[in-house]
Amino acid sequence: MKLTDAQLEQFDRDGFLILPSLFDPKEVEAINAELPALFAEDRVDNVREKGGGIVRTAMNLHARNDVFAKLVRHPRLLEPALQILDGDVYLQQVKVNAKEAYTGEIWQWHYDFAHHHNEDGNPLPLALNVHLFLDECNPFNGALWFIPGSHKAHDGRNLAKSALDTETTSYELWTVDHETVGRMIEAGGIVPAHGPAGTVLIFGELMVHGSPNNMSPWPRHIFSTIYNPISNRQTTFKRPDWQHGRDFTPTRPLPDDCLRERAA
Ligand SMILES: O=C(O)CCC(=O)C(=O)O
């Protein structure tokens, strides 16, 4: 699947792209059918919310499950990333971020490169985050929020200051201070990433984003894979491979109907 010139321009200008309903309900259903068993596993790569035993993010799913092993190579996710990055990529991180009804907790304002540079030594902010909504994301269930243009609003060649927050949630995150976020929002506003299940979302390493708690009765699950050019691979290895993959062989697309045999 190729992005149009207009979509590429929009991605460059805003820093993110929302592609509604790229996967059909049967495909999404086949993916969702795998989640209960994966979430029920008691293992370290199922990271739980601070406030209890509920899974916040289930990581390393391509190594744990056949459907997710296909999904990371699905052409509707991988080909746009290859088009933008123009080179071979590896799977840096694969997960489903959950925000269960009433309990799903915040992701603070951050940009991913702060984390990937400081924790993993990624040299450049090239990696792409490609999401697939497994539930509708609506104004109430903890959808992601973006600051359009914030990927270019870092101060010239200096990236916005970021500090490691080990307190707010169970998942340590390099976050951006409110003064900087306020300045960026003043310039670019906030756009929430809403859409039906099956929607695809693409954003880059410098995009400032976050998401609020889910206070609604509607769960929110989002599949996410980070594709990073192999030439830009991690240079430090302090995080485990379920947080940052170490298989640097090129990721190649499968046929477009690769999920269909499960969806039939
Ligand atoms: O799942 C979310 O709400 C936030 C995820 C996020 O910030 C990320 O993938 O970088």
Side-chain angles (χ1 to χ4, degrees), residues 207-219:
M207 166 53 53
V208 177
H209 62 286
S211 60
N213 291 352
N214 183 2
M215 292 170 64
S216 83
W218 304 297

Side-chain angles (χ1 to χ4, degrees), residues 187-230:
I190 299 177
V191 171
H194 295 158
T199 295
V200 168
L201 178 64
I202 305 174
F203 59 96
E205 287 277 269
L206 298 182
M207 166 53 53
V208 177
H209 62 286
S211 60
N213 291 352
N214 183 2
M215 292 170 64
S216 83
W218 304 297
R220 190 225 71 175
H221 296 91
I222 299 178
F223 170 74
S224 154
T225 179
I226 299 176
Y227 299 113
N228 191 22
I230 295 168

Side-chain angles (χ1 to χ4, degrees), residues 16-179:
F16 65 95
L17 261 188
I18 301 173
L19 306 169
S21 301
L22 220 53
F23 285 67
D24 68 36
K26 278 213 172 303
E27 290 173 317
V28 174
E29 197 184 307
I31 300 164
N32 279 337
E34 304 298 317
L35 292 183
L38 288 162
F39 276 47
E41 289 177 333
D42 182 13
R43 41 188 292 162
V44 67
D45 43 12
N46 278 347
V47 179
R48 289 160 202 286
E49 298 283 15
K50 195 172 183 180
I54 295 166
V55 173
R56 170 178 179 82
T57 178
M59 301 185 112
N60 201 28
L61 294 177
H62 59 312
R64 295 167 54 182
N65 178 276
D66 287 348
V67 171
F68 286 97
K70 287 183 195 166
L71 190 56
V72 290
R73 299 172 61 203
H74 199 291
R76 278 173 256 154
L77 301 179
L78 177 56
E79 283 178 356
L82 290 172
Q83 187 184 358
I84 291 169
L85 294 171
D86 197 23
D88 285 332
V89 300
Y90 71 99
L91 299 167
Q92 177 169 320
Q93 194 175 78
V94 177
K95 59 187 181 286
V96 166
N97 280 348
K99 279 200 189 172
E100 301 301 349
Y102 302 112
T103 55
E105 292 175 14
I106 185 176
W107 287 81
Q108 313 92 299
W109 287 112
H110 68 286
Y111 60 98
D112 291 356
F113 185 63
H115 207 82
H116 301 150
H117 187 62
N118 289 313
E119 298 294 331
D120 307 324
N122 282 19
L124 295 171
L126 299 176
L128 286 179
N129 221 313
V130 181
H131 285 189
L132 168 62
F133 295 179
L134 300 178
D135 296 302
E136 178 192 50
C137 290
N138 63 38
F140 310 108
N141 66 353
L144 274 100
W145 293 357
F146 293 104
I147 306 176
S150 59
H151 62 308
K152 298 192 179 182
H154 297 253
D155 180 17
R157 287 182 63 80
N158 300 315
L159 297 179
K161 236 178 357 144
S162 188
L164 185 61
D165 178 347
T166 60
E167 299 290 322
T168 305
T169 74
S170 59
Y171 195 85
E172 296 187 353
L173 197 64
W174 286 79
T175 58
V176 182
D177 65 83
H178 291 166
E179 190 273 325

Side-chain angles (χ1 to χ4, degrees), residues 3-14 16-17 83:
L3 298 172
T4 63
D5 286 348
Q7 287 170 328
L8 289 169
E9 272 164 35
Q10 189 183 342
F11 179 72
D12 179 58
R13 186 191 63 229
D14 295 342
F16 65 95
L17 261 188
Q83 187 184 358

